[in-house]
Amino acid sequence: MIKEIVTYPNKILRTKSKDVEKFDSELHTLLDDMYDTMIAKDGVGLAAIQISVPLNVLLICIPDENNIQTPDNLLEAINPKITHKDDALIVYTEGCLSVPEFHEDIKRAQNVTVEYFDRNGQKHNMEAQDFLAVVWQHEMDHLEGHLFIEKLSLLKRKKFEKEWKKKLKEEKNKR
Ligand code: CO
């Protein structure tokens, strides 16, 4: 089922999510709803808090070489942790379903090692590079209650806040 995505500046997005304790049908429904929502909104990643569920659950689905997202490329991560980040950095133009239509360059680690559980409670480790590493770090930030716009320089952040307020006002007037 497609759920409503919480958008900035809703305070829900600042919640620190908690670990999942039961790998049960309720978790599976959450994962399925998150997938439907992410695909419907054309996202490559989604954290549970973005649909108002404060649990350490995230999805990543990088499009294939034909730019198509399939369940084959879906990564479901429960109680994930970044266990290693190396010093190499990469700049990538990021966006977020909770900050629609805004994109900006963000610097992050180029290589990360992560640990997570799948929907059946099986533990996995993986190394991620480049775009996948960026998405991992972006989604992990959501679980800590952080958004990528917090990484902007002061000047860029001010410009963003001004434009965002204007956009919200315009949307309100349209209704
Ligand atoms: Co996001």
Side-chain angles (χ1 to χ4, degrees):
M1 196 191 293
I2 297 169
K3 299 287 184 177
E4 197 184 325
I5 292 187
V6 179
T7 57
Y8 182 77
N10 193 315
K11 285 192 174 66
I12 289 175
L13 294 168
R14 285 162 33 186
T15 313
K16 197 173 167 351
S17 292
K18 293 208 161 64
D19 271 353
V20 169
E21 284 175 8
K22 283 187 196 152
F23 291 78
D24 57 7
S25 63
E26 209 176 309
L27 172 68
H28 296 174
T29 303
L30 170 66
L31 288 162
D32 295 343
D33 288 347
M34 284 174 67
Y35 182 75
D36 293 345
T37 307
M38 179 178 72
I39 295 300
K41 304 287 179 185
D42 272 329
V44 294
L46 188 73
I49 195 62
Q50 292 179 276
I51 58 163
S52 307
V53 178
L55 289 173
N56 287 327
V57 175
L58 62 86
L59 299 185
I60 296 174
C61 191
I62 307 280
D64 66 16
E65 60 277 13
N66 301 315
N67 209 23
I68 295 165
Q69 286 175 295
T70 70
D72 291 345
N73 299 324
L74 175 64
L75 200 81
E76 296 178 330
I78 293 114
N79 303 346
K81 277 193 196 90
I82 293 179
T83 52
H84 182 77
K85 274 186 200 184
D86 73 15
D87 294 335
L89 298 173
I90 186 172
V91 175
Y92 199 88
T93 309
E94 295 187 24
C96 180
L97 294 178
S98 293
V99 192
E101 289 156 46
F102 177 77
H103 299 88
E104 193 52 79
D105 287 354
I106 304 292
K107 203 185 278 179
R108 295 189 190 266
Q110 188 173 8
N111 305 290
V112 296
T113 308
V114 296
E115 179 185 290
Y116 63 95
F117 295 85
D118 64 23
R119 62 162 64 205
N120 301 312
Q122 198 84 36
K123 198 174 183 175
H124 299 266
N125 285 286
M126 80 176 276
E127 284 176 26
Q129 280 89 36
D130 304 323
F131 182 49
L132 182 58
V134 166
V135 180
W136 260 105
Q137 292 168 84
H138 177 115
E139 299 311 326
M140 290 297 296
D141 279 354
H142 277 298
L143 304 183
E144 294 292 328
H146 295 302
L147 295 173
F148 78 109
I149 52 171
E150 293 168 39
K151 293 185 177 291
L152 298 177
S153 67
L154 195 60
L155 203 68
K156 279 187 175 171
R157 180 66 187 260
K158 274 190 178 157
K159 191 167 164 259
F160 162 78
E161 292 296 343
K162 205 173 149 190
E163 284 168 6
W164 197 254
K165 263 182 205 148
K166 196 174 147 212
K167 177 183 142 114
L168 292 179
K169 209 169 156 187
E170 280 166 5
E171 278 170 11
K172 208 172 148 190
N173 290 340
K174 262 188 246 163
R175 271 186 234 133

